[in-house]
């Protein structure tokens, strides 16, 4: 559906995107995640034919961005960063313009206008001047124009910035709903956003992809660390550390502290290939300890992100 | 399938009339040209059934007025970021430029039509040469079209509307009055004709007399076409920046 090969962009002498390649299948919701200045917006500007790459090539919906830009633009609904709108128009005038620009006419034009007003919950402000809209309404109006022509591909640059928590949930639900039929690329620097909406993620830093895959994939490839939060009940727990670390499945005790007189909490790093949890269970039973809590901890994207951006390099490729 | 120029024209005109700019410019134009004709040039005291003095001032008024109409076109889109929307809609660059041009030209047309009551009201007073007035109107539209094309081009390379206004004003000032150099300084004859040829004002002379000279017509069409063409190139060049 969307193919980018060795895409690069120079702004003067600054290389904002450094030879990025990726492939997005039909129906995927893919998140571009990275700090500000990582190149997310530039990639989107290239895919939407707003600008040409300095090198490399890309195609969207099987149309090449150099040779078939009009077809590319027709396939895409685009919400640029900060949802730029015309302050001199009111919401409905603006959406009518976008509908006309997309070639909608007659009944389907009317139907789509009604649909987007409803889907983005902006009926209340339909006749209000865009210059007087709050940030949340502006963002939703921007999203409304992006979906007005029912495009196959949605490209959304930071779609939830400036929204309050309820609106964020609404918009995420809408994106997920749209993502059932459409291919969606959204960029964000908010990790929860990707976890909440995206099936797959490309993590960008300084113009390069430093990791890609599903959230779980990336976690697994993080040098194979699995964390376990373990609480035991029993006597002589002070001596448990030594025998615990001798288990083959336990790589390291990160933290060990007494919770109550008869309880102790351990924070363990496990070697993922071994059946560490079972081993720990058997060990606890044979030593007469009772397990009161055993909670596997997934790496959050936050951990991954901090780790990757500090280490650099393309870990997950 | 989609996207014709009319959708852009429609949107641009809505923007013009939803903001004060169109009303301010149009009323300023009508007010000033009327004051010029009836008060400063004492039309009635002249006692001639001709509007030559009326049309004579229009190119000069355009020097200030056209930049005010065109300054926002691209500069404002760039400032608001809406250019990103516009350029990612399925339009060709040519369609965008023509759409912007036509919308401003329609505004000019409305403004010019609003001056029609002047010759119509005065027609009762004397025997006007309607052929001449038609020629004068054509000249006004042509010089207006050329000025709009120049203004749009400047707006496309300007970073904000104020600089677009000032630069367009300077270019129009230079182009309109360059032939005046001929009468105030002694310069070689070939230079005189170069200045004359370049001058937006000089080519207006024949229209003002009610003559339609093909060379003047071609001049205005060429200037308009040239600047619209460079405007398209500017938009395409931006994509490589």
């Amino acid at each position: 559906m969307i193919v980018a090969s060795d895409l690069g962009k120079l702004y003067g002498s600054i290389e904002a995107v450094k030879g990025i390649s990726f492939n997005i299948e039909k129906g995927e919701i893919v998140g571009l995640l990275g700090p500000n200045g990582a190149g997310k917006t530039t990639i989107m500007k290239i895919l939407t034919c707003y600008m040409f790459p300095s090198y490399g090539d890309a195609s969207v919906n099987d149309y090449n961005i150099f040779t078939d830009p009009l077809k590319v633009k027709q396939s895409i609904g685009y919400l640029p960063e900060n949802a730029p709108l015309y302050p001199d128009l009111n919401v409905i005038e603006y959406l009518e313009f976008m509908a006309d620009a997309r070639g909608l006419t007659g009944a389907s034009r009317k139907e789509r206008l009604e649909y987007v007003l409803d889907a983005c919950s902006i009926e209340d402000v339909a006749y209000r001047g865009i210059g007087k809209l709050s940030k949340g309404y502006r963002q939703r109006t921007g999203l409304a124009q992006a979906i007005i022509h029912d495009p196959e591909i949605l490209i959304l640059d930071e779609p939830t910035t400036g929204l309050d928590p309820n609106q964020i949930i609404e918009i995420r639900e809408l994106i997920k709903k749209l993502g059932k039929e459409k291919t969606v690329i959204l960029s964000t620097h908010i990790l929860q956003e990707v976890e909440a909406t995206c099936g797959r993620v490309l993590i960008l830093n300084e113009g390069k992809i430093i990791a890609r895959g599903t959230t779980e994939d990336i976690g697994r490839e993080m040098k194979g660390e699995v964390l376990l939060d373990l609480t035991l009940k029993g006597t002589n727990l002070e001596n448990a550390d030594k025998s615990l670390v001798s288990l083959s499945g336990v790589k390291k005790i990160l933290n060990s502290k007494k919770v109550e007189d008869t309880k102790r909490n351990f924070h363990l790093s496990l070697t993922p290939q071994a059946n560490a949890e079972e081993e720990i269970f058997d060990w606890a039973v044979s030593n007469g300890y009772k397990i009161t809590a055993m909670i596997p901890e997934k790496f959050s994207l936050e951990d991954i992100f901090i780790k990757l951006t500090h280490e650099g390099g393309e870990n997950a490729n | 399938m989609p996207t014709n120029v009319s959708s852009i024209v429609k949107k641009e005109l809505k923007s013009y009339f939803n903001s004060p700019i169109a009303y301010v410019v149009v009323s300023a134009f009508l007010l000033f040209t009327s004051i010029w004709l009836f008060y400063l040039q004492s039309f009635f005291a002249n006692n001639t059934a001709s509007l030559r003095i009326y049309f004579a001032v229009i190119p000069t008024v355009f020097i200030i007025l056209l930049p005010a109409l065109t300054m926002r076109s691209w500069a404002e889109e760039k400032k608001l970021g809406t250019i990103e929307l516009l350029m990612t809609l399925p339009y060709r660059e040519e369609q965008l430029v023509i759409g912007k041009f036509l919308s401003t030209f329609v505004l000019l047309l409305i403004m010019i039509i609003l001056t029609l009551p002047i010759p119509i009201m005065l027609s009762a007073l004397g025997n006007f040469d309607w052929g001449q007035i038609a020629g004068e109107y054509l000249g006004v539209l042509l010089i207006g079209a050329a000025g709009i094309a120049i203004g749009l081009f400047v707006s496309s390379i300007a970073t904000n509307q104020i600089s677009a206004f000032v630069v367009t004003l300077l270019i129009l000032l230079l182009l309109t009055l360059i032939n005046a150099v001929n009468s105030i300084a002694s310069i070689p004859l070939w230079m005189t004709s170069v200045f004359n040829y370049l001058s937006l004002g000089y080519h207006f002379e024949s229209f003002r007399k009610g003559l339609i000279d093909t060379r003047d017509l071609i001049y205005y069409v060429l200037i308009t076409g040239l600047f619209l063409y460079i405007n398209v190139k500017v938009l395409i060049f931006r994509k490589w920046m």
Side-chain angles (χ1 to χ4, degrees):
Chain A
M1 199 79 181
I2 298 169
V3 181
S5 43
D6 190 31
L7 223 47
K9 183 74 188 179
L10 290 126
Y11 296 116
S13 60
I14 298 158
E15 199 170 5
V17 174
K18 301 167 183 165
I20 279 179
S21 301
F22 58 84
N23 211 325
I24 293 167
E25 300 298 327
K26 193 174 164 64
E28 277 193 286
I29 303 184
V30 174
L32 298 184
L33 177 65
N36 297 328
K40 308 180 296 275
T41 298
T42 302
I43 291 172
M44 294 187 149
K45 283 179 175 174
I46 292 170
L47 293 178
T48 51
C49 297
Y50 177 65
M51 51 167 63
F52 292 123
S54 306
Y55 55 88
D57 203 353
S59 69
V60 175
N61 206 9
D62 294 333
Y63 299 114
N64 186 275
I65 55 164
F66 290 105
T67 56
D68 257 337
L70 286 186
K71 294 268 177 57
V72 170
K73 292 176 186 178
Q74 276 169 27
S75 317
I76 293 176
Y78 179 36
L79 172 66
E81 201 171 5
N82 301 322
L85 306 165
Y86 294 104
D88 292 338
L89 301 181
N90 68 33
V91 171
I92 195 82
E93 283 173 333
Y94 171 71
L95 292 174
E96 278 170 353
F97 164 60
M98 295 312 267
D100 293 340
R102 295 294 186 176
L104 295 173
T105 49
S108 68
R109 179 176 181 271
K110 189 165 174 279
E111 187 195 319
R112 290 303 300 176
L113 281 168
E114 279 166 8
Y115 169 77
V116 297
L117 284 176
D118 176 52
C120 301
S121 323
I122 46 174
E123 297 111 322
D124 297 348
V125 294
Y127 293 95
R128 197 177 296 172
I130 285 172
K132 297 188 186 86
L133 291 185
S134 69
K135 184 84 177 85
Y137 276 124
R138 289 176 55 92
Q139 199 71 19
R140 283 189 270 170
T141 307
L143 192 63
Q145 64 76 24
I147 60 174
I148 196 152
H149 56 303
D150 200 14
E152 289 180 65
I153 297 163
L154 274 176
I155 297 187
L156 311 172
D157 200 350
E158 312 229 341
T160 57
T161 40
L163 301 182
D164 67 40
N166 285 329
Q167 294 167 338
I168 289 177
I169 291 166
E170 268 176 53
I171 292 290
R172 281 181 189 164
E173 288 305 315
L174 181 62
I175 292 170
K176 270 201 239 174
K177 205 174 111 198
L178 292 166
K180 282 178 188 151
E181 300 147 21
K182 301 181 193 311
T183 310
V184 182
I185 305 182
L186 65 88
S187 78
T188 178
H189 59 269
I190 304 159
L191 302 140
Q192 291 85 342
E193 185 123 318
V194 174
E195 285 177 310
T197 43
C198 300
R200 206 153 64 89
V201 55
L202 303 176
I203 300 181
L204 291 153
N205 193 37
E206 292 172 359
K208 283 184 177 160
I209 297 179
I210 51 171
R212 65 178 89 200
T214 61
T215 323
E216 295 82 22
D217 279 345
I218 289 176
R220 213 174 298 134
E221 290 182 43
M222 285 291 297
K223 309 247 162 76
E225 267 184 273
V226 180
L227 302 180
L228 193 69
D229 186 32
L230 177 74
T231 309
L232 297 176
K233 192 177 174 188
T235 49
N236 290 332
L237 272 166
E238 290 76 13
N239 306 326
D241 283 27
K242 264 184 200 157
S243 63
L244 192 57
V245 84
S246 68
L247 298 173
S248 67
V250 178
K251 203 153 103 189
K252 205 169 148 191
I253 298 174
L254 299 172
N255 191 14
S256 160
K257 63 172 190 284
K258 193 173 176 181
V259 195
E260 290 165 29
D261 278 349
T262 57
K263 269 191 186 171
R264 198 170 178 84
N265 177 273
F266 304 89
H267 208 207
L268 306 174
S269 162
L270 307 179
T271 35
Q273 52 275 22
N275 278 330
E277 290 91 342
E278 287 177 29
E279 200 184 356
I280 290 167
F281 184 86
D282 294 338
W283 163 84
V285 171
S286 64
N287 284 282
Y289 303 134
K290 286 174 183 150
I291 297 175
T292 58
M294 184 147 117
I295 307 156
E297 283 181 0
K298 270 203 296 185
F299 261 110
S300 73
L301 268 174
E302 197 122 15
D303 302 324
I304 295 169
F305 192 68
I306 289 164
K307 200 166 151 94
L308 284 172
T309 48
H310 281 85
E311 286 174 4
E314 177 122 19
N315 286 348
N317 259 344
Chain B
M1 171 205 38
T3 67
N4 37 39
V5 173
S6 69
S7 56
I8 305 171
V9 176
K10 221 167 102 186
K11 170 232 142 194
E12 290 287 318
L13 284 175
K14 270 185 189 153
S15 271
Y16 269 130
F17 286 106
N18 284 0
S19 75
I21 189 91
Y23 302 101
V24 170
V25 169
V26 171
S27 3
F29 174 76
L30 295 175
L31 196 66
F32 178 77
T33 49
S34 303
I35 290 174
W36 168 264
L37 180 67
F38 296 116
Y39 185 69
L40 297 176
Q41 292 295 325
S42 346
F43 173 78
F44 295 110
N46 279 339
N47 208 19
T48 42
S50 161
L51 285 173
R52 274 168 83 164
I53 44 165
Y54 181 67
F55 286 100
V57 77
I58 288 182
T60 316
V61 177
F62 276 3
I63 293 174
I64 299 171
L65 192 140
L66 294 182
L69 286 184
T70 57
M71 61 182 184
R72 301 172 80 228
S73 57
W74 295 110
E76 188 76 351
E77 298 263 10
K78 285 187 279 183
K79 194 187 124 209
L80 294 171
T82 45
I83 191 155
E84 205 169 331
L85 278 172
L86 210 53
M87 300 282 289
T88 53
L89 285 170
Y91 292 116
R92 288 203 311 275
E93 284 76 12
E94 294 85 347
Q95 293 174 310
L96 292 174
V97 171
I98 290 170
K100 290 261 181 195
F101 172 76
L102 284 180
S103 56
T104 316
F105 190 74
V106 167
L107 192 62
L108 181 80
L109 203 61
I110 293 170
M111 194 166 82
I112 299 301
I113 287 170
L114 289 175
T115 67
L116 280 175
I118 290 178
I120 291 170
M121 281 189 321
L122 297 179
S123 66
L125 301 176
N127 214 355
F128 283 87
D129 179 349
W130 289 101
Q132 183 183 350
I133 289 178
E136 287 165 334
Y137 269 118
L138 179 65
V140 165
L141 290 179
L142 285 170
I143 199 171
I148 289 169
I150 292 169
L152 289 180
F153 159 69
V154 173
S155 186
S156 77
I157 53 169
T159 44
N160 62 63
Q161 41 174 313
I162 301 301
S163 61
F165 177 82
V166 173
V167 172
T168 309
L169 188 138
L170 290 175
I171 292 176
L172 290 183
L173 189 67
L174 189 74
L175 275 183
T176 308
L177 302 178
I178 192 167
N179 58 330
V181 178
N182 298 338
S183 52
I184 53 171
S186 71
I187 47 170
L189 197 63
W190 66 269
M191 246 163 131
T192 312
S193 46
V194 169
F195 285 161
N196 278 345
Y197 190 76
L198 286 176
S199 168
L200 281 169
Y202 176 78
H203 292 274
F204 188 65
E205 293 298 312
S206 61
F207 289 102
R208 200 159 66 81
K209 293 171 195 146
L211 305 170
I212 300 171
D213 187 326
T214 330
R215 284 170 302 177
D216 297 328
L217 197 96
I218 289 172
Y219 165 82
Y220 286 123
V221 173
L222 270 182
I223 291 281
T224 309
L226 175 73
F227 279 96
L228 294 181
Y229 177 78
I230 323 177
N231 199 339
V232 170
K233 291 294 163 195
V234 169
L235 292 189
I236 294 171
F237 180 71
R238 276 177 56 90
K239 299 175 83 173
W240 290 104
M241 290 285 277

